[in-house]
Amino acid sequence: MIPETETPRRGRGPVRALTRRHLLRTASACAAIALLWQGAPASAQAARDTLIVAGPRTPESLDQEYPPTEAVHELRRNVYERLLAYDMQTGEDGVSYEDFSKITGALAESWEVSPDFTSITFHLRPGVVSATGGALDADDVMWSFERGWNLKSNFHWYMTQILNIEDPAAAFQKIDDMTVKVTIPKPSPLLEKLWINSDLGILDADAMKPHLTGEDPWGSRWLATNSASFGPYSVAKYTPGQEIVYEANEKYYRGAPALKKVIFREMPTTANRVAALQAGAVDVAEYLSPRELAMVEKMPGVSVHKVFGNYIHRVEMQNEMKPFDDPRVRQALNYLVPRDEIAQAVYFGTARPTKSPISEIYPAFTDAYFPYANDPEKAKALLAEAGYPDGFKTELGYRTGDQLEEEIAVILKTAFAQAGVDVTLSKLPASTLVERYTQGEIPMYFFRDMAIVPDAAYVANLWLNSDSLIDYSRFKSDEVDALIDSALTSTDEPKRIADMQRVQQVVMEQAPWVFLFNPGYQLATRANVKGYSWYTPNGNAWFDFHKE
């Protein structure tokens, strides 16, 4: 999930040297890109209704039940339409953002939530059609629910873990051809917000049914490489590892997209993405490194869009493994982080320090309990109290090819050594690293993620509830578990906010992670590409874009 960045260097002199080498490498890449694009019609490249995008990787699957990755999130934003959405608002930076305080209808024209927050009734929008011309009705919604439940993946997780549904027959009800009701056993403050997620898109059941077989009753094989929903785009071509082509749904209920075709090309190397953007071979370059963005900003005809967003980048510690089973050790490492140095030398001002386990843009966030200034003497004292006056040896893992994490890892190794902590840096293939940290077999590792529901209890439940499948750090606090469980079923919003702020206080005291940065989200485009917007899954919504 983590895009490539550049070779690690520290200090102003080495950074300048690296930039010169990078420019030479980029020039070579420009030549390669030019050769690659020779023969392409100039009119096709300049077409106002076609957008060409370069990104690290194509989606691993087109099925919304596939585990979410950054590439998959972007696909879902453009192909799958949801029942509800947030209103959009324009920020001071001119970027359109979701307004978390205002929910609006999408496929559902209207809806009602029961006073006790145990049911929601959706009245579907008339006249909605899919890219294949299928008209939306309650059967599409019910079949999508049934499919999601039986595949026991994303939909099933939301329904069971967030809404506490146990019996789908009791939960999902077709009232009439355009009305569906969902009933849950316990109140949930997320009963509306959850249906905004792109993971919960509605499928065109009529388009799916010809592809169902006895061996594959839910069409998973077909949907892995095809699309069938009511969103602004459908997938016209999908070549994993190479390219995905989106075609506009001219019958989209919000109006025909301005961009009739979006061609996403996989370019794993960031230097190639920079070169392609500079040469005009692509209109958009995703996931460039902070160093490259600083360079790209100075290019004529190129714009860089920056938002702080909801990512949290951290080093997780295995809380059940010595010496990290002692919170004083975990606190000590947080006091050793040179955040100012990392912000300047690695992020070039595109990131902000993370001061809570909750995304800073979400309701109930507070940074009031963040004490971790760079204080090596404080760190040494804590380690001595914990029984490690001379420090200890440990291991820090990061992904092969992720040079940004390698840069930070080198800085942290030097910083931790000030208190006698001897860190072995392990560059591992992503699959190996994930296997090791999910099995609890590596003491420290980099982790970057975002929670796409703007609710503190939802975020805390994902990462800090000891019952969560992705509490990879093995953090456990009975108080935190109880507060999260209560907040997931309470509709008393002031109490939920107070409880979630207490969760943040406990977590900052217990320090299950080395808190690093919110790296933000940045996008580089040609200057004639307009309409940039930001959504919580950090996937670009091509419907919002146009070319001048």
Side-chain angles (χ1 to χ4, degrees):
M1 289 177 59
I2 310 301
E4 309 84 358
T5 50
E6 293 309 308
T7 305
R9 288 293 187 273
R10 295 175 58 197
R12 296 180 62 184
V15 167
R16 288 197 298 270
L18 177 63
T19 301
R20 288 196 293 271
R21 288 196 295 275
H22 180 82
L23 285 169
L24 289 172
R25 198 165 65 241
T26 299
S28 298
C30 277
I33 293 295
L35 288 172
L36 176 68
W37 283 84
Q38 278 182 359
S43 60
Q45 294 306 303
R48 291 179 62 185
D49 61 358
T50 299
L51 191 76
I52 302 176
V53 183
R57 58 190 58 83
T58 55
E60 294 81 355
S61 171
L62 308 189
D63 192 338
Q64 65 180 2
E65 290 301 320
Y66 186 86
T69 65
E70 287 171 342
V72 167
H73 273 308
E74 185 166 277
L75 164 90
R76 291 175 185 167
R77 172 60 54 180
N78 292 289
V79 170
Y80 289 100
E81 192 58 86
R82 302 123 326 137
L83 289 164
L84 301 177
Y86 289 115
D87 268 347
M88 301 299 291
Q89 59 183 348
T90 302
E92 294 180 359
D93 55 4
V95 175
S96 292
Y97 295 88
E98 293 169 297
D99 182 348
F100 301 142
S101 68
K102 295 180 181 178
I103 297 176
T104 189
L107 295 184
E109 184 176 48
S110 62
W111 67 100
E112 298 100 33
V113 176
S114 64
D116 62 358
F117 285 81
T118 61
S119 71
I120 185 168
T121 303
F122 299 104
H123 303 281
L124 301 180
R125 188 181 300 275
V128 173
V129 295
S130 70
T132 58
L136 173 72
D137 60 22
D139 291 335
D140 294 307
V141 177
M142 292 296 291
W143 190 84
S144 299
F145 289 177
E146 186 180 6
R147 179 182 191 267
W149 182 270
N150 281 281
L151 289 179
K152 291 183 168 53
S153 184
N154 297 330
F155 179 89
H156 188 271
W157 185 88
Y158 284 115
M159 296 303 107
T160 57
Q161 298 301 308
I162 304 300
L163 298 184
N164 294 297
I165 292 173
E166 298 178 356
D167 180 2
F172 308 122
Q173 180 184 4
K174 175 183 173 181
I175 304 299
D176 58 39
D177 287 346
M178 296 297 286
T179 310
V180 171
K181 183 177 182 179
V182 178
T183 303
I184 59 178
K186 298 178 182 179
S188 173
L190 300 178
L191 189 54
E192 284 180 286
K193 288 182 179 179
L194 209 60
W195 303 102
I196 296 168
N197 285 15
S198 299
D199 296 342
L200 302 179
I202 303 302
L203 292 162
D204 181 345
D206 291 334
M208 288 291 302
K209 287 176 180 176
H211 307 287
L212 311 183
T213 67
E215 293 183 353
D216 187 16
W218 302 108
S220 296
R221 293 176 186 168
W222 184 81
L223 201 60
T225 56
N226 296 274
S227 63
S229 188
F230 299 88
Y233 290 92
S234 63
V235 176
K237 178 183 178 183
Y238 174 53
T239 308
Q242 297 182 33
E243 182 179 79
I244 181 169
V245 179
Y246 299 93
E247 284 190 352
N249 175 4
E250 295 293 335
K251 301 174 183 177
Y252 183 49
Y253 79 94
R254 293 169 62 195
L259 296 170
K260 305 307 178 185
K261 181 178 290 187
V262 178
I263 302 170
F264 179 99
R265 294 204 165 103
E266 180 169 316
M267 291 187 188
T269 305
T270 54
N272 286 346
R273 298 201 291 276
V274 170
L277 183 68
Q278 184 176 19
V282 302
D283 301 300
V284 177
E286 297 183 338
Y287 293 109
L288 302 181
S289 73
R291 181 171 286 111
E292 287 168 323
L293 289 165
M295 179 179 67
V296 166
E297 278 188 304
K298 301 174 183 177
M299 293 180 179
V302 173
S303 298
V304 175
H305 312 276
K306 300 177 182 180
V307 298
F308 281 108
N310 59 348
Y311 276 120
I312 291 181
H313 198 192
R314 59 204 186 236
V315 168
E316 294 196 349
M317 294 170 278
Q318 226 297 346
N319 287 202
E320 293 179 344
M321 181 185 294
K322 287 187 176 300
F324 300 114
D325 57 343
D326 190 321
R328 291 170 296 187
V329 172
R330 305 194 298 260
Q331 292 167 2
L333 294 196
N334 274 286
Y335 279 113
L336 289 168
V337 178
R339 291 177 178 83
D340 289 345
E341 179 184 354
I342 295 172
Q344 295 174 20
V346 178
Y347 285 112
F348 285 72
T350 60
R352 291 195 288 211
T354 296
K355 297 185 177 182
S356 165
I358 306 302
S359 303
E360 62 191 87
I361 62 171
Y362 286 175
F365 161 83
T366 178
D367 59 4
Y369 305 112
F370 181 82
Y372 300 112
N374 185 215
D375 190 343
E377 296 307 313
K378 175 74 171 177
K380 291 175 185 178
L382 285 166
L383 289 176
E385 289 177 20
Y388 301 96
D390 299 319
F392 56 89
K393 291 185 177 182
T394 189
E395 178 187 10
L396 172 60
Y398 61 93
R399 275 167 267 261
T400 301
D402 192 328
Q403 298 302 323
L404 184 144
E405 287 188 350
E406 187 169 39
E407 283 194 54
I408 299 174
V410 170
I411 293 174
L412 291 180
K413 177 180 174 68
T414 301
F416 292 167
Q418 295 178 82
V421 179
D422 183 3
V423 180
T424 297
L425 301 182
S426 294
K427 183 190 301 186
L428 301 168
S431 58
T432 302
L433 182 63
V434 171
E435 181 179 359
R436 288 192 64 190
Y437 70 62
T438 56
Q439 297 299 318
E441 297 173 352
I442 188 167
M444 294 196 300
Y445 51 90
F446 281 93
F447 190 84
R448 183 177 103 164
D449 202 1
M450 76 280 190
I452 63 177
V453 177
D455 182 85
Y458 177 90
V459 178
N461 186 60
L462 278 179
W463 298 330
L464 299 166
N465 192 328
S466 63
D467 288 333
S468 172
L469 294 176
I470 60 173
D471 175 23
Y472 300 129
S473 65
R474 307 295 198 275
F475 171 72
K476 180 171 176 56
S477 161
D478 290 339
E479 181 184 4
V480 167
D481 285 350
L483 289 169
I484 293 171
D485 291 343
S486 173
L488 288 175
T489 58
S490 172
T491 57
D492 182 343
E493 196 59 24
K495 183 179 186 302
R496 294 182 79 240
I497 291 174
D499 286 351
M500 287 303 98
Q501 292 187 342
R502 172 58 182 164
V503 164
Q504 292 168 82
Q505 181 179 12
V506 173
V507 171
M508 298 314 297
E509 291 170 354
Q510 293 294 310
W513 315 327
V514 177
F515 291 87
L516 294 177
F517 284 85
N518 167 2
Y521 180 78
Q522 301 86 33
L523 189 71
T525 71
R526 299 298 302 175
N528 67 324
V529 176
K530 306 296 183 181
Y532 173 69
S533 56
W534 183 83
Y535 298 83
T536 59
N538 294 282
N540 294 303
W542 307 126
F543 179 80
D544 298 341
F545 285 66
H546 66 278
K547 293 171 73 175
E548 292 182 346

